[in-house]
Amino acid sequence: MTNPATTAAVWAGTVVDRLGLGGRCRIDVTTVPEGRPSPAPLPGPDAPYRSALTIAAPDGPSASSDGPPLDAGVYVTVTLDAEWTRVHLPLDLAPTDALVLLADRLQDWAVELTHGTALPPCPGHPHPMRAAVVDGAAVWCCPARPDGTGPLLPIA
């Protein structure tokens, strides 16, 4: 990533728009420099979901000096009303894998927020598309036909 924080913010905005939540969410990006202690490596995009409890002030998520140290990398926090999620993108993760990880985690959050709505909808199917790397590109694809149905980011 050239400028990891700016890139992550653009990616998050694009994913949130594709999930139908655009214009309603606040996106905050925080960068934690390398050299901080890392208790455990973050799993890749195909690993089981990892969750953590963060106690936040009523106005939203916050980093507390009382909490565990954050791993180095970029943290993308997306907030909608009183609900929020935070995704950690390690600096050494390949850009394609980081984009898929971000899209996957934001999709899980959006589906939960909408009580199981298939987001983004898969054309002709009742299930959502999923974020994946197909032929080296980050795409939204049908889980039944993982040959790729569209790029995660618009092609400029």
Side-chain angles (χ1 to χ4, degrees):
M1 289 186 244
T2 307
N3 179 334
T6 302
T7 300
V10 170
W11 289 352
T14 301
V15 170
V16 164
D17 286 347
R18 183 67 173 95
L19 296 172
L21 301 175
R24 301 176 8 203
C25 294
R26 188 179 84 219
I27 298 169
D28 298 299
V29 179
T30 304
T31 302
V32 176
E34 293 189 55
R36 303 246 343 233
S38 298
L42 185 73
D46 294 328
Y49 183 73
R50 181 173 126 180
S51 180
L53 173 65
T54 302
I55 306 301
D59 60 347
S62 63
S64 167
S65 60
D66 297 335
L70 297 176
D71 293 341
V74 176
Y75 287 82
V76 178
T77 304
V78 180
T79 307
L80 177 62
D81 300 325
E83 301 292 331
W84 61 274
T85 190
R86 181 178 293 140
V87 181
H88 173 232
L89 304 173
L91 294 174
D92 61 350
L93 198 59
T96 302
D97 292 332
L99 175 55
V100 168
L101 174 64
L102 179 64
D104 179 66
R105 298 306 190 251
L106 292 179
Q107 179 186 33
D108 286 347
W109 178 70
V111 168
E112 192 172 311
L113 275 179
T114 60
H115 307 287
T117 302
L119 298 172
C122 187
H125 299 118
H127 55 249
M129 289 193 286
R130 69 178 180 91
V133 177
V134 175
D135 296 329
V139 298
W140 288 113
C141 65
C142 172
R145 296 183 348 236
D147 55 339
T149 55
L152 273 170
L153 297 176
I155 298 173

